[in-house]
Amino acid sequence: MKNLKTAVASAMLLLATVAHGQAYPNKTIKLIVPYSPGGAADLSARWLAEGLTQQFKYTIIVENHPGAAGNIGTRAVAAAKPDGYTLLLGYDGTLTINPSVYPNVGFDTLKDFVPVSKIADSTLLLVANNNLPAKDVKEMIALAKAKPGSLDYATTGVGSTPHAAGEMMNIQYGIDLRHIPYAGGAPAMTAVMGDHVKMVYTAVATAYPFVVSGKVKALGVSAPKRAAALPNVPTFSESGVPGFDLNSWFGILAPAGTPKQIVDQLQGAIKTVVETPSYRERYIAAGLEPVGNTSEQFTGQIKADLTRWDAIVKKAKISAN
């Protein structure tokens, strides 16, 4: 009798677990992108949403909440109900640099969120208006030294990864590139094409169509190796500018308190999407290296990046004030 009761209890627990697992998702999921449409963050979110929708059979809606270098949309998710139906497309600049740049960023990266999975590492690219008399990063630096204060560069905002890297370039090479922040990669690219800003430091995914169409020219990628999408564009190091082997990343986070079962289910689904050949090819072609790691692995990188970027922000004296 005891064994029968134990078996019945185990079966009931299993059924409850299965039922609970089937209960998520049972309605539309919102994926908040804290930047404008058209940039690398937006593209990666929409591709992921497409794949997750096919898996879950419930729609994942991408909503753009730009403003304050990603802080506005990020705060909205931090304050959302932790039920798995509001997710954040996280960006390393917002989550690991902004806390050191803004005196009141409005969220605590480690306390307000549970990392689900890193979607991809993003190759960064420096591109310029076609009228700029420099064909690569080395020539751009020479031009900046010859005419101090004459060159500016756009990014997705104050405290973004390209902004921090650009300020480090100023320090390391003794130049004075002026930073012009925009609300996203698409408006920054538009400004460069219109010659309102000389250069933009952004993700390959954002710049790719404009580079291949000849609307802007690529000066170099700051990754350790060339981007598969733009194999003819040299790295900074290949151009004679060592010390800028920097990538960016995108990932999915949920509000703190989201049940572990939901986090694990989401992580598994994300991993399936980014490992699907058709999606993987799409990401790689756009200069994004698919990842799909575990919550624990993603958390470890976020902690390390918070420490690393805090040191760089202080050295470069980056401030939102």
Side-chain angles (χ1 to χ4, degrees):
M1 180 65 69
K2 184 177 180 180
N3 291 338
L4 178 60
K5 288 182 178 180
T6 300
V8 170
S10 298
M12 291 178 67
L13 179 61
L14 177 61
L15 288 172
T17 301
V18 171
H20 183 69
Q22 291 175 337
Y24 178 83
N26 58 21
K27 61 180 181 180
T28 297
I29 298 172
K30 290 192 298 184
L31 176 54
I32 305 300
V33 177
Y35 288 95
S36 301
D42 184 64
L43 284 173
S44 61
R46 293 182 186 280
W47 292 339
L48 181 68
E50 180 184 313
L52 291 179
T53 295
Q54 292 175 3
Q55 283 194 65
F56 290 151
K57 308 305 178 185
Y58 284 93
T59 303
I60 287 77
I61 296 177
V62 175
E63 293 186 1
N64 298 89
H65 291 199
N71 293 339
I72 291 176
T74 302
R75 290 172 194 152
V77 178
K81 186 177 180 180
D83 58 3
Y85 291 98
T86 303
L87 304 174
L88 174 69
L89 189 285
Y91 165 58
D92 62 330
T94 303
L95 293 171
T96 67
I97 300 178
N98 282 8
S100 297
V101 172
Y102 288 81
N104 184 19
V105 74
F107 60 85
D108 186 306
T109 301
L110 296 177
K111 293 181 179 179
D112 291 340
F113 300 99
V114 53
V116 177
S117 180
K118 182 167 72 170
I119 301 173
D121 287 309
S122 175
T123 301
L124 296 175
L125 174 73
L126 185 64
V127 302
N129 181 273
N130 287 323
N131 294 327
L132 185 74
K135 69 176 185 297
D136 57 28
V137 179
K138 186 175 182 179
E139 288 189 2
M140 181 277 294
I141 291 175
L143 182 63
K145 288 184 175 181
K147 298 180 179 180
S150 65
L151 298 183
D152 46 26
Y153 70 103
T155 71
T156 52
V158 174
S160 62
T161 308
H163 177 205
E167 294 300 327
M168 287 305 298
M169 189 181 298
N170 280 339
I171 292 172
Q172 185 163 336
Y173 297 101
I175 55 179
D176 182 24
L177 301 179
R178 292 179 293 116
H179 176 236
I180 310 296
Y182 281 81
M189 185 64 62
T190 299
V192 172
M193 287 189 291
D195 206 14
H196 303 296
V197 183
K198 292 300 181 185
M199 299 178 291
V200 59
Y201 202 179
T202 189
V204 168
T206 302
Y208 175 79
F210 306 101
V211 173
V212 296
S213 66
K215 293 180 179 179
V216 293
K217 60 182 175 183
L219 300 182
V221 296
S222 59
K225 61 181 181 180
R226 297 190 182 198
L230 298 170
N232 294 326
V233 179
T235 66
F236 279 29
S237 294
E238 288 173 332
S239 297
V241 185
F244 276 86
D245 293 342
L246 291 174
N247 280 329
S248 188
W249 53 254
F250 301 109
I252 299 298
L253 298 93
T258 300
K260 187 176 186 303
Q261 182 172 339
I262 290 178
V263 172
D264 290 344
Q265 186 176 344
L266 282 167
Q267 189 276 327
I270 291 168
K271 184 177 176 63
T272 297
V273 172
V274 300
E275 289 183 349
T276 300
S278 59
Y279 283 94
R280 186 173 181 82
E281 289 173 6
R282 189 185 300 182
Y283 277 84
I284 291 174
L288 299 169
E289 183 64 36
V291 180
N293 61 1
T294 67
S295 176
E296 292 75 17
Q297 290 169 330
F298 191 21
T299 300
Q301 177 165 5
I302 289 173
K303 288 179 177 178
D305 283 353
L306 280 165
T307 299
R308 177 181 68 151
W309 286 119
D310 183 62
I312 292 175
V313 167
K314 288 177 180 176
K315 183 176 181 180
K317 298 180 181 179
I318 300 172
S319 174
N321 295 327

